[in-house]
Amino acid sequence: MADSLPPCPACSCEYTYELGALLVCPECAHEWAPTGAQDTAEDVVAMLSATRSRTVTR
């Protein structure tokens, strides 16, 4: 069995998955790098523009 992925640091969902070099939460759409400092919901603000492109600020 493969190594299990960590839960989402924003909402604690355990069903995270890999998308390229990032880990993604299917419940809250939080994206983070699997190594280094992990963001929390307070650290990251994600906004959708009128064209639905995602902007992340720290």
Side-chain angles (χ1 to χ4, degrees):
M1 180 170 207
D3 294 331
S4 63
L5 297 173
C8 176
C11 73
S12 300
C13 172
E14 59 187 52
Y15 302 110
T16 57
Y17 61 92
E18 292 178 294
L19 182 64
L22 297 175
L23 295 177
V24 181
C25 175
E27 291 189 9
C28 72
H30 181 70
E31 298 176 352
W32 72 99
T35 59
Q38 293 194 354
D39 299 323
T40 62
E42 293 81 29
D43 295 333
V44 176
V45 175
M47 297 174 282
L48 294 177
S49 71
T51 60
R52 305 290 294 169
S53 62
R54 188 164 184 224
T55 303
V56 177
T57 59
R58 295 178 192 265

